[in-house]
Amino acid sequence: MRLPTTGARAAAVEPHGWLVGARPGASVKGVAARYGARALKLAGAFSVPRDRARGFAAALSRRGALVYAEPDIVLHRRSAPDGAPAGWARGAVVPPTVPPPAPKVSVGIVDDFVDTTLPDLGAQTQILNGPPAITGAHGTEVASAVSAAANGIGVVGIFPSVPLISYGLPPTITCSAAANGIAAVVSAKARVVNLSFGSTEQCATLFRVVEGAYGAGTLVVAAGGNEFTNGNQPSFPAAWPHVLSVAAVNIAGQPGFFSSRNAAIDIAAPGVDVPVDVPLALDTDGVPDGTTSDSGTSFASPIVAGAAAWVWSSRSNLTNGQVADVLRDSASDLGAPGYDTQTGFGLVNIARALTAATPRDDPLEPNDAITFVDGTAFSTPDPYVWRGFARAPIRASVDEIEDPVDVYRIRIPARGDVRVRLSTSFGNADLFAFPGNRKSLLGTPAKRSGKKGKATDAFTLTNPSGTARRFYIAIVSASRTSLNSAYSLRFSRR
């Protein structure tokens, strides 16, 4: 997200289109064709002109296929070029004595097209939806912060020459365009995806794509936002669960005056006067050398994306969630001791991340809501974690901000029962059960247990009917002493 120039704010844009989510079915395609709705890369999502949206949604509703309808909101890039390159940003997060590994992952750049005519970026960049039209500098600047080659010219990225997968967005970024871009780079095997844009409004279609990317094993890194002087509202997608949200700091290690401060911030990186490459035709800083410096969380985010690719290339056994945890756990603390909403867990530190302890893996994510595991948000429901047979405990974690709820599907055999037990090794979490016909965790649960600390939560669920019945088990973060809690979940016949 680019830092706005003094007094400049993007005007609110009336959306010209709507996004509609539908349950899969043969009739949906016919209805979509009748209303001129265009299928997105996300299964079950359609873009439709505003004047046809109401009719399309009503037609789906009559067939029981409507999931949601929303405006195709606009997301914003925001930054201000500032002077000549200072060369400080890379050295703040990795010493020059630490050699980069051979790249084993690719980084997706969903932004303006990357200018592949620049020597710093041409060799390692794949364009998915070209030929590229270089109408904006933002994507090239972001890409160079990740991957600019160490070739003696231009700038040097955090992870020089790591492969890039570029999906070019239009000058006005809509939710549908961003969703298609993320889906495309994930399909092209990008293991890290950088999103240097956002909005204070939420978009369910984009949320589904981001969470689906995480479920596919990709790590999503996003600009934490530049809203501190404009109400300090959270920025999305950065504020969503399972997204590594990045704040910006200056050369003194202090938060950028613009950098959003909220509980969604995970980590910080240089975001003030960051040296970057720029297309020659758009180099307006007075020195036509294809470089400039820029400010905003737009440029802190790709620094963390490059760091994630470096760590993952060196520690290829880690999952996407473990890479994010390693970066948080190894960050250099800034400001007051411990986590804070200005800089999260601190300044990203590649050298420390390479040797940090391996955190516990958090399986079956994303499972933050019933709709994430019942087949509504994604194409298929999650498997039942218990169906009446003995199994090993589920060992996982919940986090107050990043992952506040874990939901699991179980199936109790006819005239059977199950004893459910939750124990925490640190932090605290509560245990809930909901009937299998629920679509959300709102309302009264079928059972609950909310003991404090490490005391075991437990209850018994009984199915007196003659057919097997489905239940949802929910683990909810309840710790007052830590942001996250580690737990073991066990099932047994009574």
Side-chain angles (χ1 to χ4, degrees):
M1 309 179 81
R2 285 184 152 192
L3 180 65
T5 54
T6 303
R9 290 286 294 168
V13 177
E14 178 79 13
H16 294 288
W18 278 67
L19 301 176
V20 176
R23 292 186 175 86
S27 64
V28 170
K29 291 184 179 179
V31 176
R34 191 186 324 149
Y35 286 91
R38 177 174 54 88
L40 303 184
K41 294 182 184 294
L42 174 66
F46 296 86
S47 175
V48 62
R50 183 175 56 192
D51 59 350
R52 299 181 183 181
R54 187 182 298 275
F56 181 41
L60 291 176
S61 181
R62 288 192 296 270
R63 291 164 173 76
L66 179 65
V67 178
Y68 64 85
E70 62 182 355
D72 194 0
I73 65 170
V74 173
L75 303 107
H76 302 284
R77 312 174 182 93
R78 296 189 284 268
S79 75
D82 189 3
W88 74 276
R90 188 176 191 275
V93 299
V94 59
T97 54
V98 179
K104 294 183 180 179
V105 301
S106 296
V107 179
I109 305 295
V110 182
D111 211 302
D112 296 320
F113 282 108
V114 176
D115 186 353
T116 56
T117 67
L118 294 176
D120 272 359
L121 296 168
Q124 70 268 39
T125 302
Q126 173 192 1
I127 305 291
L128 289 185
N129 58 331
I134 307 301
T135 58
H138 192 266
T140 299
E141 294 179 0
V142 165
S144 69
V146 178
S147 177
N151 55 9
I153 58 176
V155 301
V156 180
I158 291 301
F159 191 176
S161 297
V162 64
L164 300 177
I165 302 175
S166 167
Y167 186 94
L169 295 176
T172 298
I173 304 175
T174 59
C175 177
S176 56
N180 275 342
I182 296 168
V185 298
V186 171
S187 294
K189 308 302 182 185
R191 298 296 303 279
V192 180
V193 175
N194 182 80
L195 305 178
S196 286
F197 54 76
S199 172
T200 55
E201 298 179 76
Q202 298 199 57
C203 169
T205 300
L206 190 61
F207 180 54
R208 288 176 58 200
V209 170
V210 167
E211 297 301 290
Y214 186 87
T218 300
L219 176 59
V220 178
V221 183
N226 303 329
E227 304 299 324
F228 184 71
T229 60
N230 297 296
N232 204 34
Q233 294 175 277
S235 176
F236 302 95
W240 284 330
H242 310 298
V243 176
L244 198 58
S245 177
V246 187
V249 296
N250 61 24
I251 195 169
Q254 298 172 337
F257 73 90
F258 52 83
S259 188
S260 297
R261 305 175 191 186
N262 55 63
I265 297 297
D266 289 298
I267 201 167
V272 180
D273 299 334
V274 177
V276 289
D277 286 323
V278 63
L280 284 171
L282 302 175
D283 188 353
T284 59
D285 64 4
V287 182
D289 59 356
T291 66
T292 188
S293 65
D294 217 337
S295 299
T297 53
S298 270
F299 310 105
S301 180
I303 287 175
V304 171
W310 182 316
V311 172
W312 218 344
S313 294
S314 298
R315 306 180 64 176
S316 55
N317 60 313
L318 300 179
T319 65
N320 53 349
Q322 288 176 311
V323 172
D325 284 342
V326 160
L327 290 174
R328 284 188 284 255
D329 294 345
S330 62
S332 301
D333 196 21
L334 298 172
Y339 176 87
D340 63 74
T341 58
Q342 294 182 314
T343 57
F345 289 94
L347 182 68
V348 62
N349 186 321
I350 291 176
R352 287 173 55 175
L354 295 175
T355 59
T358 300
R360 173 184 286 186
D361 187 26
D362 195 10
L364 302 176
E365 295 288 354
N367 60 346
D368 307 81
I370 288 176
T371 54
F372 279 24
V373 301
D374 71 353
T376 299
F378 307 114
S379 57
T380 57
D382 280 8
Y384 292 108
V385 300
W386 187 82
R387 301 183 62 172
F389 305 102
R391 62 151 297 155
I394 297 174
R395 303 186 187 278
S397 63
V398 285
D399 184 281
E400 188 68 26
I401 304 301
E402 289 295 325
D403 182 20
V405 181
D406 284 348
V407 179
Y408 303 98
R409 298 170 81 231
I410 68 168
R411 188 175 182 181
I412 303 178
R415 299 184 179 87
D417 53 46
V418 60
R419 184 70 174 169
V420 186
R421 292 178 294 160
L422 173 72
S423 56
T424 56
S425 56
F426 67 88
N428 185 31
D430 292 338
L431 178 66
F432 297 81
F434 293 87
N437 60 356
R438 288 285 184 88
K439 286 294 183 182
S440 78
L441 302 180
L442 300 175
T444 304
K447 290 287 181 76
R448 67 171 296 172
S449 177
K451 296 181 180 179
K452 296 180 180 180
K454 295 183 179 180
T456 298
D457 288 300
F459 49 62
T460 298
L461 292 171
T462 302
N463 175 18
S465 72
T467 58
R469 291 182 59 190
R470 179 176 64 241
F471 285 85
Y472 296 106
I473 303 299
I475 315 300
V476 180
S477 175
S479 178
R480 296 183 179 180
T481 59
S482 63
L483 287 176
N484 59 339
S485 303
Y487 66 82
S488 294
L489 183 64
R490 294 175 170 84
F491 301 92
S492 60
R493 299 295 293 266
R494 188 172 57 177

